Amino acid sequence: MWLQVALCLSCLVLSSQSQDRASLRRSNDHIGCCQYTFTVDNPAEASCPGASGGPDMEGVKSRLTLLEALVSRLLGGKGAGGEGPGAGGDKTIQEAYSQAMRDKSQLQGDKEQLNRQVQGLQRRVDELSAEAETLRQRPCHKHQATGAGLPLHKLNQRPASDSLYQEMKAEVTEVPASRLIQDAGQNHTGCGELVSVGEPVLHRKADSITGKYGVWLQDPEPMASPYGNKTVWRIDTVGTDVRQLFAYEDMEQFAKGFPMKVMVLPEPVESTGATLYRGSLYYQRRRSRTLLRYDLAYESLAARLDLPHAGFHGQHPYSWGGYTDIDLAVDEQGLWAIYSTSKAKGAIVVSQLDSESLEVKRSWETNIRKNTVANSFMICGRLYTVASYTAPDTTVNHVFDTATGQGRGMAVPFKNHYRYNSMVDYNHAQRKLYAWDNFHMITYNVSLGRPSRSSQ
């Protein structure tokens, strides 16, 4: 830029020397700034047309003004105050450049530190992978040392002095003869009298107040339909218009709470006495003694019948209430109704029903007061009652055998782990009791004794 200005000024000086009509003059203006001016005569015009000089003259003046401003900035020299205006701009640019370089150095340092951390983590991953591979290939010395997994004949071949043999010998536990006799008397395949009820096993907990009590079951003898013996069925029975029947593909989906279908029953359900058998849901219609059979495959009512003289809606419930006047049950011998009548004066009546038409085939009147027991279920044609629905350690306290028409007391331990057991039903295919205990859906394994002569 300095060279261009010098050349321009040299051209002006030469022009003024070669022609008398051009001149360059330097002088201070009215504020003391150095000002350069030059004059050129126009050989074609004796005078300027117009007082204002015209558009051409105005353009020349504008260009001269710009030129003077440029020269003033570039040649503006050093005044008494020190550096000219250009020096301050250069200083600002220099400081910005220095800051940018410092930021670049900082970022470069951060990048190198992150790279080192990534390399360290990668080395740790490689070490852990190597350790995992080593453990995978290493034999289980601990199990070998204790003899676990070895064939029985290998263990028997070891000498008596061997420490492994001594260790295993010390672990032998004596079993009382009475226990062996009890186990030998249990029946794991056919019918027999109830010997024991196992600990409750939790499968799901209801997540709303409507699930405080209800019904949940699996069909022990499913028909050829879309639903098999793995399908789980559930009804939450808290409410005034209970109609929803939830179907789950299996126990796993039931535990997760993912139903595969929700059916809306044509008539509302009363309490927790419903049951499942051969592809149908059997239940009591609300506020009536009417029994209904709902076909699960066709999703429609297949049968309807009033249970003769049966109490309903709080006339003869179990001790916990809940309008449990009619309790339907299923066992190896078919479909049953457990209820009472005004004639029986509150004593339990057991009736065997036709599973297609719901007609009563035969009835038995017991001497067990229905409102003194918490619940009941049928196994192999025998009625069993539970003493309490709230006591954590209660008993199965009565049995009535329909084969003989005789009943007696008993005391098989039974646990109400969650202190409000509102439903107990037997599934003979699973050999389990299904129960609903204060929002919790649970099962109990049961053990049966060998069949008696009367039931063979």
Side-chain angles (χ1 to χ4, degrees), residues 257-325:
F258 299 149
M260 65 176 179
K261 190 176 185 65
V262 181
M263 300 181 185
V264 180
L265 300 173
E267 301 282 356
V269 178
E270 181 86 309
S271 196
T272 61
T275 194
L276 278 166
Y277 186 56
R278 294 185 176 178
S280 292
L281 172 73
Y282 298 86
Y283 70 97
Q284 174 192 357
R285 185 184 183 277
R286 184 172 183 268
R287 289 182 176 271
S288 74
R289 58 171 60 93
T290 303
L291 304 183
L292 302 172
R293 179 168 78 89
Y294 181 78
D295 190 297
L296 298 172
Y298 292 98
E299 299 185 24
S300 62
L301 285 178
R304 174 196 296 261
L305 189 71
D306 284 358
L307 186 60
H309 312 294
F312 64 94
H313 203 66
Q315 292 177 340
H316 302 293
Y318 288 126
S319 60
W320 74 271
Y323 303 126
T324 51
D325 301 74

Side-chain angles (χ1 to χ4, degrees), residues 37 72 80 111 157 160 198 260 271 286 297 301 324 344 381 385 397 448:
T37 58
S72 176
K111 178 183 176 183
Q157 291 174 0
M260 65 176 179
S271 196
R286 184 172 183 268
L301 285 178
T324 51
T385 64
N397 61 342
L448 305 181

Side-chain angles (χ1 to χ4, degrees), residues 21 40-50 57:
R21 294 171 296 179
V40 178
D41 293 336
N42 187 348
E45 293 181 348
S47 62
C48 296
M57 183 58 65

Side-chain angles (χ1 to χ4, degrees), residues 10-233:
S10 299
C11 291
L12 291 174
V13 172
L14 290 174
S15 177
S16 63
Q17 291 177 351
S18 61
Q19 299 184 16
D20 295 337
R21 294 171 296 179
S23 63
L24 175 65
R25 184 168 61 88
R26 186 179 69 174
S27 63
N28 293 330
D29 61 6
H30 65 282
I31 60 174
C33 293
C34 181
Q35 186 177 32
Y36 292 85
T37 58
F38 66 93
T39 304
V40 178
D41 293 336
N42 187 348
E45 293 181 348
S47 62
C48 296
S52 62
D56 293 338
M57 183 58 65
E58 293 297 328
V60 172
K61 288 182 179 181
S62 298
R63 288 193 291 275
L64 286 176
T65 301
L66 293 175
L67 179 60
E68 289 174 357
L70 178 61
V71 172
S72 176
R73 290 184 60 187
L74 295 177
L75 302 180
K78 299 179 180 179
E83 299 181 5
D90 294 341
K91 181 177 180 181
T92 303
I93 295 173
Q94 184 64 31
E95 291 177 352
Y97 177 77
S98 299
Q99 182 63 38
M101 293 303 294
R102 287 193 296 271
D103 294 343
K104 177 183 177 183
S105 300
Q106 180 66 31
L107 292 173
Q108 187 67 28
D110 294 343
K111 178 183 176 183
E112 293 174 357
Q113 183 178 0
L114 289 174
N115 287 335
R116 287 193 296 271
Q117 292 177 355
V118 170
Q119 292 172 1
L121 291 174
Q122 186 61 47
R123 285 194 299 270
R124 182 58 180 159
V125 169
D126 294 340
E127 292 172 0
L128 292 174
S129 299
E131 291 178 7
E133 185 63 26
T134 301
L135 292 174
R136 191 180 298 113
Q137 297 177 358
R138 182 182 302 170
C140 299
H141 299 295
K142 180 178 179 180
H143 293 295
Q144 290 181 353
T146 58
L150 293 178
L152 184 60
H153 70 276
K154 294 281 188 182
L155 294 175
N156 291 336
Q157 291 174 0
R158 299 204 174 189
S161 59
D162 194 303
S163 60
L164 171 61
Y165 176 77
Q166 296 293 338
E167 181 179 354
M168 294 193 66
K169 184 178 179 182
E171 293 178 357
V172 174
T173 303
E174 293 185 0
V175 179
S178 59
R179 173 69 178 277
L180 294 175
I181 294 173
Q182 180 181 355
D183 291 343
Q186 290 185 8
N187 172 23
H188 300 284
T189 56
C191 271
E193 188 169 303
L194 181 67
V195 172
S196 66
V197 178
E199 294 289 324
V201 177
L202 176 63
H203 296 274
R204 177 165 174 76
K205 181 180 179 182
D207 42 17
S208 69
I209 188 61
T210 59
K212 180 173 177 59
Y213 45 84
V215 180
W216 81 286
L217 296 163
Q218 290 180 290
D219 193 340
E221 298 182 23
M223 303 296 286
S225 69
Y227 313 107
N229 58 1
K230 292 184 178 180
T231 307
V232 181
W233 303 87

